[in-house]
């Protein structure tokens, strides 16, 4: 008999047109099958959307886009370092207005998973923990040390009390159905020894004592004490088992893509594979699933961690960085969610049975006494399609796929059969135009104002010390920049002065990057990479007879965000030598070094539209090109239309950008490079088989990030002040806005 696979292509459309309403309840409990909300078992399909990685003007659209994609829950971390700027000094405005974000979710009639942490990892600077906490004596992060536990509990209690005051827990009629304490601690607990075990137990008990009326979870913790539920983070969690048989199976992080690093390639995860992993999870009894990320967003300002995490945190998520649906992924997952929800009653109330359909093929069937029946037919073979017989009917199963049969008869969805329409995204350039409100509007082009930083010490030195200090311990992350400056005397009899050769400057640094100057002239730059920040610099240096000033600008590019004892990882210069002198190598490492924290422009706040300091800006129609340590400012028009906007920095070097005082973030169109001999880009990705971040990479030899998201809400109708700080030199006349346009899929 010819294989046949009954398909019901319109079932999902009927389901979504009728569709999803959620009532907030006064009671959230659980059993081994699922969460029980208002006395009813429910499947939870959740979407991670981090409120600080977008702006309030985007929140309603992001939440609605997720809901239209078949999601019923929004998940987010709480970002401690964005809220407690110094001990006891709190901020909950702008992008950090947590209550406003949750109330938008509530208004959309959706649930919320609040991962209070307060450690988040998340490729976020310092893992979301405030830098100031590291400098309180006796503190070891995530360990049984009293200062850490005191401040962690204080912040968690603040957040819990805020949620209670606003009646946002489900026990109060709000949307929050789960809360998380700590995050992924099980990965590192063994490194912390007995102190780590005591801390994890303390954190769980402390959370439960908060009495919020909804269950607590602890992500990736293998020995969570009852009643805290442990959860799974991975690319595949179908075989995950909770630590207690009375607890539901929860997947807090299913990664639909991966993050990018400056200098790294562009990783992708195919729609077919992410759908396969989700279907397998529900097939094997999962009931709470969260995409990390569903909308990745943007690491505005200096919030990216890593080091070397890009400003873009797009994550190849179903909703892209700019808030547009990424198709076919968004549409394919929407169909998947509809198919799974059609199975909800049987999945949560039926008895499960497993049938072998072949060597790598199986069926999981859920049926109850009412006659409800749902089946998942899986082909785990990563190379070969198979035809199987289930209940006397033949079904064709593509390799590495799951077919979903909500009535145990008809296939409404197969993970490898992508029917969603693809979309094409373009970044359409829009030249910077002078503002109509600008006094220069009558001129032929854009007028720039330029300010050049001094290479080395500006103003009074912060301190002088023999040898080198740690960069992070010195700046305490108040800036990316730290100047190390010294001077040497070159004898006029040095051979290199006579024969035209040049000595060689040798620098070793713990990271993350540096620019070397001699007598105010840039000699060269160097940096680590996304995996190994330590690096060596080796370049000729131009010296003259007499006194020579050596100025080294050390830079951080986001602080460590995870790992055991990650807060103790340092940065900065560790050795400086110059070879080529008549007497041999000159070691400057023990010299007296003068230090200055940050840039003069930062100190003066010249990126702020309302700054009042006098500064020697130079006005010009032809701004200097390839000039290091230069601030550029222009007053520009808002690009036309209402589509999202990116700033194209392809022709610039490295630095920071602001619009109207808002921090766009770090830019660095650094080209990608191999991290290993086997690290190759692909033309087309094979979705079949276990996924890893290096499986489907593109962008070899291209900038890791060219465009930098500027939210529309940051623009003013007329006068917009764009400020750029360029570290090593670029061409500001080539900076453009780019309008992000999507085609091939209806808005």
């Amino acid at each position: 008999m010819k294989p046949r696979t009954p398909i019901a292509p319109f079932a999902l459309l009927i389901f979504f047109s009728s569709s999803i309403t959620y009532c907030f309840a006064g009671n959230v409990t659980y059993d081994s099958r699922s969460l029980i909300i208002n006395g009813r078992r429910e499947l939870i399909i959740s979407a991670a959307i981090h409120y600080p990685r977008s702006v309030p003007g985007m929140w309603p659209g992001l939440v609605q886009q997720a809901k239209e994609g078949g999601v019923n829950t929004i998940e987010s971390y709480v970002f401690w370092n964005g809220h407690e700027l110094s001990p006891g000094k709190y901020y909950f405005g702008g992008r950090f207005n947590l209550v406003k974000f949750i109330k938008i979710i509530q208004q959309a009639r959706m649930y919320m998973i609040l991962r209070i942490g307060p450690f988040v990892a998340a490729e976020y600077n310092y893992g979301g923990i405030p830098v100031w906490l590291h400098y309180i004596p006796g503190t070891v992060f995530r360990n049984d040390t009293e200062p850490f536990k005191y401040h962690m509990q204080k912040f968690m209690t603040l957040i819990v009390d805020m949620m209670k005051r606003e009646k946002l827990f489900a026990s109060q009629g709000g949307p929050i159905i789960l809360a998380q304490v700590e995050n992924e601690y099980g990965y590192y607990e063994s490194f912390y020894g007995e102190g780590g075990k005591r801390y994890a137990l303390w954190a769980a008990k402390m959370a439960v004592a908060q009495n919020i009326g909804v269950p607590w979870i602890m992500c990736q913790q293998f020995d969570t004490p009852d009643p805290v539920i442990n959860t799974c983070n991975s690319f595949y969690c179908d075989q995950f088992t909770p630590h207690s048989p009375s607890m539901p199976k929860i997947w807090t992080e299913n990664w639909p893509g991966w993050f990018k690093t400056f200098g790294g390639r562009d990783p992708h995860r195919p729609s077919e594979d992410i759908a396969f992993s989700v279907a397998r999870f529900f097939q094997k009894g999962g009931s709470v699933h969260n995409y990390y990320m569903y909308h990745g967003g943007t690491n505005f300002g200096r919030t990216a961690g890593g080091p070397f995490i890009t400003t873009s945190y797009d994550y190849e998520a179903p909703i892209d960085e700019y808030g547009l649906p990424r198709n076919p992924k968004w549409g394919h997952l929407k169909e998947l969610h509809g198919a799974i929800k059609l199975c909800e009653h049987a999945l949560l109330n039926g008895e499960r049975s497993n049938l072998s359909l072949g060597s790598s093929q199986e069926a999981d069937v859920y049926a109850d006494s009412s006659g409800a029946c749902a089946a998942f037919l899986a082909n785990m073979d990563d190379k070969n399609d198979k035809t199987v017989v289930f209940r006397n009917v033949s079904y064709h199963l593509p390799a590495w796929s799951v077919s979903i049969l909500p009535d145990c008869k008809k296939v409404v969805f197969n993970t490898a059969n992508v029917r969603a329409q693809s979309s094409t995204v373009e970044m359409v350039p829009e030249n910077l135009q002078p503002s109509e409100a600008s006094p220069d509007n009558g001129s032929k082009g854009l007028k720039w104002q330029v300010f050049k930083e001094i290479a080395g010490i500006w103003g009074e030195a912060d301190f002088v010390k023999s040898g080198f200090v740690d960069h992070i311990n010195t700046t305490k992350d108040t800036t990316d920049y730290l100047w190390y400056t010294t001077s040497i005397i070159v004898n006029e009899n040095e051979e290199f002065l006579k024969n035209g050769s040049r000595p060689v400057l040798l620098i070793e640094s713990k990271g993350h990057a540096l620019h070397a100057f001699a007598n105010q002239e840039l000699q060269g730059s160097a940096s680590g990479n996304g995996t190994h920040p330590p690096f060596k610099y080796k370049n000729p240096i131009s010296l003259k007879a007499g006194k020579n000033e050596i100025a080294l600008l050390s830079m951080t590019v986001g602080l460590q965000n995870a790992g055991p004892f990650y807060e103790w990882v340092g940065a900065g210069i560790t050795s400086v030598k110059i070879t080529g002198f008549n007497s041999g190598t000159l070691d400057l490492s023990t010299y007296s070094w003068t230090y200055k924290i940050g840039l003069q422009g930062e100190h003066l706040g010249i990126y702020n539209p309302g700054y009042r300091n006098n500064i020697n800006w130079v006005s010009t129609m032809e701004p200097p090109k390839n000039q290091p340590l230069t601030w550029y400012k222009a007053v520009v028009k808002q690009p036309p239309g209402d589509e999202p906007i990116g700033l194209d920095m392809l022709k610039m070097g490295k630095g920071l950008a602001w619009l109207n005082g808002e921090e766009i973030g770090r830019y660095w169109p650094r080209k990608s490079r191999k991290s290993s001999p086997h690290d190759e880009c692909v033309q087309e990705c094979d979705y079949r088989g276990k996924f890893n971040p290096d499986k489907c990479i593109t962008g070899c030899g291209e900038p890791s990030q060219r465009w930098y998201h500027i939210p529309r809400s940051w623009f003013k109708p007329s006068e917009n002040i764009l400020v750029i700080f360029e570290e090593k030199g670029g061409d500001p006349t080539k900076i453009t806005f780019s309008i992000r346009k999507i085609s091939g899929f209806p808005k």
Side-chain angles (χ1 to χ4, degrees):
M1 184 172 70
K2 183 179 180 182
R4 60 191 180 89
T5 305
I7 298 288
F10 301 107
L12 306 186
L13 296 178
I14 295 170
F15 170 78
F16 279 105
S17 64
S18 60
S19 188
I20 311 171
T21 57
Y22 296 98
C23 298
F24 298 124
N27 189 31
V28 180
T29 59
Y30 59 84
D31 61 14
S32 62
R33 301 297 291 271
S34 71
L35 296 183
I36 300 172
I37 303 176
N38 201 24
R40 175 179 175 269
R41 289 185 178 132
E42 287 204 40
L43 285 179
I44 300 300
I45 301 175
S46 174
I49 299 174
H50 292 166
Y51 55 100
R53 283 173 158 150
S54 55
V55 294
M58 294 176 66
W59 292 344
L62 294 174
V63 170
Q64 188 60 36
Q65 191 83 258
K67 186 173 183 178
E68 290 175 5
V71 167
N72 61 12
T73 304
I74 302 298
E75 174 269 318
S76 181
Y77 286 123
V78 176
F79 293 82
W80 186 3
N81 57 6
H83 292 300
E84 192 169 5
L85 307 181
S86 59
K89 181 182 178 182
Y90 300 107
Y91 177 71
F92 287 92
R95 293 185 290 113
F96 291 91
N97 193 331
L98 176 61
V99 168
K100 180 175 182 177
F101 178 71
I102 297 175
K103 287 187 174 180
I104 287 171
I105 295 166
Q106 184 175 28
Q107 291 161 7
R109 307 296 292 167
M110 299 177 77
Y111 297 135
M112 172 79 184
I113 298 173
L114 190 66
R115 301 174 73 181
I116 302 174
F119 168 77
V120 302
E123 292 73 55
Y124 206 73
N125 198 51
Y126 230 40
I129 297 179
V131 173
W132 54 258
L133 184 54
H134 176 56
Y135 298 99
I136 292 179
T139 299
V140 178
F141 287 5
R142 312 177 77 196
N143 209 322
D144 189 26
T145 58
E146 291 306 317
F148 184 76
K149 292 194 298 182
Y150 168 79
H151 286 282
M152 174 193 170
Q153 183 172 8
K154 181 182 175 186
F155 180 73
M156 283 201 68
T157 302
L158 175 85
I159 297 299
V160 167
D161 288 348
M162 181 182 293
M163 298 301 103
K164 287 181 177 178
R165 187 168 59 250
E166 298 290 338
K167 301 187 185 310
L168 293 175
F169 288 112
S171 55
Q172 303 171 292
I176 301 172
I177 57 171
L178 287 175
Q180 179 179 298
V181 60
E182 253 301 332
N183 184 45
E184 297 184 343
Y185 195 68
Y187 285 139
Y188 310 114
E189 187 178 56
S190 62
F191 291 96
Y192 292 101
E194 289 301 316
K197 292 180 180 179
R198 289 195 302 271
Y199 165 73
L201 180 62
W202 170 86
K205 289 181 176 179
M206 180 270 294
V208 172
Q210 299 280 350
N211 191 25
I212 60 177
V214 301
W216 283 95
I217 60 175
M218 188 179 272
C219 170
Q220 208 70 22
Q221 184 66 25
F222 311 112
D223 55 356
T224 305
D226 291 348
V228 179
I229 307 169
N230 66 317
T231 74
C232 179
N233 284 5
S234 182
F235 286 110
Y236 304 93
C237 281
D238 52 299
Q239 302 300 323
F240 166 73
T241 302
H243 80 272
S244 170
S246 65
M247 293 180 173
K249 193 171 177 176
I250 299 177
W251 193 352
T252 33
E253 292 188 17
N254 187 358
W255 306 315
W258 204 243
F259 58 86
K260 293 172 64 174
T261 58
F262 288 118
R265 254 63 69 80
D266 194 0
H268 302 278
R269 189 178 187 186
S271 304
E272 298 94 328
D273 181 67
I274 181 69
F276 173 81
S277 69
V278 177
R280 285 286 291 170
F281 176 70
F282 285 104
Q283 176 179 351
K284 292 301 180 181
S287 60
V288 179
H289 172 276
N290 177 61
Y291 292 100
Y292 185 99
M293 300 293 298
Y294 197 81
H295 168 259
T298 307
N299 292 313
F300 294 111
R302 298 171 51 252
T303 59
F308 300 105
I309 304 297
T310 55
T311 303
S312 171
Y313 197 64
D314 182 82
Y315 229 90
E316 212 201 21
I319 301 175
D320 73 16
E321 178 184 3
Y322 295 80
L324 301 174
R326 170 175 277 112
N327 278 295
K329 185 174 285 187
W330 181 87
H332 189 53
L333 295 177
K334 175 179 179 176
E335 289 191 33
L336 168 65
H337 302 153
I340 291 170
K341 291 295 286 185
L342 290 173
C343 303
E344 181 173 26
H345 178 80
L347 281 172
L348 299 184
N349 299 285
E351 292 296 321
R352 175 183 157 207
S353 59
N354 177 264
L355 303 172
S356 174
L357 303 177
S359 59
S360 299
Q361 297 77 40
E362 65 178 353
D364 283 278
V365 181
Y366 294 82
D368 69 8
S369 58
S370 72
C373 184
F376 293 74
L377 311 184
N379 179 10
M380 287 82 73
D381 190 316
D382 61 5
K383 294 180 175 60
N384 303 302
D385 294 5
K386 295 290 182 179
T387 297
V388 300
V389 176
F390 172 70
R391 296 192 172 189
N392 299 318
V393 178
S394 293
Y395 294 88
H396 176 72
L397 299 180
W400 201 253
S401 76
V402 177
S403 286
I404 301 176
L405 294 67
D407 60 358
C408 288
K409 297 176 183 178
K410 294 181 179 179
V411 175
V412 300
F413 183 85
N414 177 272
T415 60
N417 182 12
V418 179
R419 299 180 297 203
Q421 186 175 351
S422 295
S423 59
T424 301
V425 174
E426 292 183 275
M427 298 299 286
V428 180
E430 179 76 21
N431 289 333
L432 303 182
Q433 299 292 334
S435 166
E436 294 175 359
S438 170
D440 315 307
N441 190 47
S443 63
K444 295 181 180 180
L446 185 65
K447 189 171 185 179
W448 293 87
Q449 289 184 293
V450 178
F451 170 69
K452 192 173 189 309
E453 290 267 342
I454 296 171
I457 306 305
W458 50 269
E460 295 294 324
D462 287 321
F463 60 93
V464 179
K465 186 180 184 301
S466 295
F468 301 118
V469 299
D470 180 80
H471 181 130
I472 298 171
N473 286 341
T474 304
T475 66
K476 294 182 171 57
D477 199 41
T478 56
T479 173
D480 280 355
Y481 304 103
L482 177 63
W483 283 105
Y484 298 63
T485 304
T486 193
S487 61
I488 61 173
I489 302 296
V490 174
N491 191 294
E492 61 184 11
N493 294 322
E494 290 291 341
E495 192 65 28
F496 65 79
L497 293 175
K498 300 176 181 178
N499 62 21
S501 64
R502 291 198 292 168
V504 175
L505 177 63
L506 305 173
I507 305 173
E508 295 181 5
S509 175
K510 290 185 291 185
H512 306 151
L514 69 81
H515 304 306
F517 295 82
N519 302 316
Q520 297 290 311
E521 296 295 325
L522 179 64
Q523 306 296 300
S525 305
S527 60
N529 58 50
T531 307
H532 303 291
F535 64 91
K536 295 182 179 180
Y537 169 100
K538 182 179 181 180
N539 249 4
I541 182 172
S542 297
L543 299 175
K544 62 185 180 181
K547 185 177 180 180
N548 292 262
E549 184 180 79
I550 310 297
L552 307 177
L553 181 59
S554 175
M555 293 162 287
T556 50
V557 189
L559 302 190
Q560 294 284 336
N561 56 257
F565 303 105
Y566 73 87
E567 74 271 27
W568 300 93
V569 176
I573 294 165
T574 57
S575 172
V576 178
K577 299 177 181 178
I578 303 177
T579 64
F581 286 91
N582 294 349
S583 59
T585 298
L586 182 65
D587 190 344
L588 307 184
S589 302
T590 58
Y591 272 42
S592 177
W593 289 83
T594 303
Y595 291 89
K596 189 68 181 179
I597 297 171
L599 307 168
Q600 184 179 10
E602 284 182 305
H603 178 74
L604 296 174
I606 64 176
Y607 49 80
N608 216 332
Y611 83 95
R612 293 290 180 266
N613 295 296
N614 292 325
I615 193 171
N616 188 27
W617 287 102
V618 175
S619 296
T620 178
M621 301 298 292
E622 297 183 6
K625 302 173 184 178
N626 302 315
Q627 178 172 287
L629 303 181
T630 302
W631 293 82
Y632 299 95
K633 181 169 71 170
V635 182
V636 298
K637 284 184 182 179
Q638 178 179 191
D642 58 2
E643 295 98 340
I645 298 298
L647 187 68
D648 187 346
M649 302 297 280
L650 180 64
K651 298 299 182 180
M652 298 299 285
K654 179 181 180 296
L656 300 167
W658 294 260
L659 182 77
N660 296 324
E662 299 283 359
E663 297 178 279
I664 299 169
R666 298 183 182 100
Y667 69 84
W668 192 5
R670 187 187 194 190
K671 291 186 177 180
S672 63
R673 51 191 179 181
K674 286 188 177 184
S675 58
S676 76
H678 306 292
D679 186 12
E680 299 292 342
C681 285
V682 298
Q683 295 297 319
E684 184 176 348
C685 183
D686 186 352
Y687 71 87
R688 301 172 300 179
K690 290 287 186 179
F691 183 77
N692 67 74
D694 296 324
K695 180 180 178 181
C696 299
I697 53 175
T698 62
C700 291
E702 298 177 4
S704 301
Q705 185 175 354
R706 174 176 176 174
W707 292 281
Y708 298 80
H709 180 208
I710 309 179
R712 276 281 182 179
S713 61
W714 287 3
F715 284 93
K716 297 178 180 179
S718 56
E719 185 173 335
N720 295 280
I721 301 174
L722 178 66
V723 176
I724 307 294
F725 172 66
E726 171 57 46
E727 296 170 10
K728 61 181 183 178
D731 185 352
T733 66
K734 297 292 175 46
I735 296 173
T736 68
F737 291 129
S738 291
I739 300 175
R740 192 170 180 87
K741 294 182 178 288
I742 187 169
S743 60
F745 190 83
K747 291 184 179 179

